[in-house]
Amino acid sequence: MPRLSVIIPVFNSAPYLALSVPALLRQEMPREEFELIFVDNNSTDGSAALLRQREGITTLEEPKQSAYAARNRGVEASRGDILVFTDPDCVPGRSWLRQIDGAFRDKAVQVMLGPRRFATDSLTLSTLADYETAKDAYMAGCRR
């Protein structure tokens, strides 16, 4: 049984899947310790077909048009103890799941939020990412 269930809602995300899927499959964590659940949400660009060609991932469908509905469908199918959410246009680093797993080994941890970094760097995007990270930390009552 996997420890982590990674749930990714997908809607017309074909251009991003070539980067995000391999990044998720190359995590520095034994593959049997996490599952990847992609939930197609009525894509018309071939996203679901691309996902079905990949081994090592689960592809589901959610007809109700909503990223929340797609995430909930993924939660229903998940088998892990810890739910991890990301989006198809995100490309996590190799240690992403290992760091999440390590944080949740502390029984006091109930929620974990990570910083955001944009693919292209600019003062505006860096400021926005830093603002969102600080806001999330404040709202969750966490310290950075």
Side-chain angles (χ1 to χ4, degrees):
M1 171 129 14
R3 178 167 160 75
L4 304 174
S5 293
V6 183
I7 300 165
I8 307 102
V10 176
F11 176 71
N12 290 342
S13 304
Y16 306 110
L17 297 174
L19 293 175
S20 63
V21 173
L24 288 163
L25 288 168
R26 287 192 302 260
Q27 291 295 297
E28 294 173 347
M29 187 171 193
R31 190 61 188 88
E32 64 274 3
E33 292 187 22
F34 68 97
E35 64 181 343
L36 299 174
I37 302 171
F38 287 82
V39 184
D40 184 66
N41 203 203
N42 304 308
S43 294
T44 58
D45 69 346
S47 293
L50 289 171
L51 290 168
R52 285 192 189 93
Q53 294 172 3
R54 298 301 302 248
E55 290 187 31
I57 64 174
T58 299
T59 303
L60 305 173
E61 294 181 10
E62 173 51 55
K64 182 177 180 185
Q65 192 65 49
S66 159
Y68 293 107
R71 286 184 190 100
N72 288 340
R73 174 69 179 97
V75 169
E76 289 171 1
S78 68
R79 299 177 298 135
D81 297 324
I82 299 167
L83 301 176
V84 179
F85 299 94
T86 191
D87 291 312
D89 60 345
C90 295
V91 181
R94 289 180 55 87
S95 65
W96 182 61
L97 287 180
R98 183 176 45 77
Q99 291 177 4
I100 292 170
D101 181 57
F104 279 103
R105 299 273 174 193
D106 178 346
K107 298 301 180 197
V109 174
Q110 296 178 355
V111 174
M112 182 178 173
L113 301 169
R116 296 162 188 82
R117 291 290 165 236
F118 293 94
T120 56
D121 197 20
S122 71
L123 179 59
T124 302
L125 290 176
S126 295
T127 301
L128 178 61
D130 291 343
Y131 166 78
E132 290 294 330
T133 299
K135 179 185 72 161
D136 288 347
Y138 177 79
M139 295 300 291
C142 305
R143 291 183 214 176
R144 245 177 117 188

